[in-house]
Amino acid sequence: MSVTVDEFLTMLGTLPETTQTDTGNWISLKVGGKGFGFVWEKTQTVGLKATLDEQIALVAERPEVFEVQFTAGQFGWVVVHLPKIESDELLELVTEAWALTAPKRLVSAHEFGSLYDE
């Protein structure tokens, strides 16, 4: 049970129109010009956008894996410790973060496309 930063960045290739910007201290993740995540290679963590309810549930259920990063409006951002999470769960979380941020046309196309990928 562990995901590396490189494996996480590879996962992003499954999410259309995702951009990565290396700021020197972290990598910013965006879709449609809006942020949905961050990567801190030095600490082997990522920050992901989530609903407030999901943020609370994740942190309460497994505080060794997740921690509250911050809240903004109707969203709660969660820090994920990569060495303590499985790749399939992380892919689900990053896809949800992306879907909360991406334009509806992208989300619809991605969901429709995934029906044929299974």
Side-chain angles (χ1 to χ4, degrees):
M1 176 189 311
S2 180
V3 177
T4 67
V5 169
D6 287 340
E7 289 169 336
F8 174 74
L9 294 174
T10 299
M11 284 180 192
L12 297 173
T14 66
L15 303 172
E17 299 185 29
T18 297
T19 60
Q20 302 174 27
T21 305
D22 190 338
T23 69
N25 294 320
W26 66 84
I27 298 169
S28 174
L29 309 175
K30 294 183 179 182
V31 60
K34 297 180 182 178
F36 69 91
F38 300 93
V39 180
W40 294 276
E41 193 165 1
K42 288 181 185 178
T43 59
Q44 298 287 304
T45 58
V46 298
L48 295 173
K49 188 178 197 178
T51 65
L52 289 171
D53 288 342
E54 184 163 28
Q55 177 197 52
I56 292 166
L58 289 169
V59 173
E61 186 177 302
R62 295 195 339 239
E64 71 282 3
V65 179
F66 304 104
E67 61 185 87
V68 172
Q69 184 175 13
F70 63 90
T71 59
Q74 62 185 357
F75 301 106
W77 290 67
V78 178
V79 173
V80 182
H81 294 268
L82 294 177
K84 299 179 180 180
I85 192 167
E86 293 185 21
S87 62
D88 59 339
E89 182 180 17
L90 184 57
L91 179 59
E92 183 179 324
L93 291 172
V94 72
T95 301
E96 289 173 12
W98 175 88
L100 289 170
T101 310
K104 291 181 192 224
R105 66 172 174 77
L106 279 182
V107 176
S108 295
H110 182 69
E111 289 173 353
F112 182 74
S114 68
L115 293 174
Y116 296 100
D117 295 339
E118 296 176 358

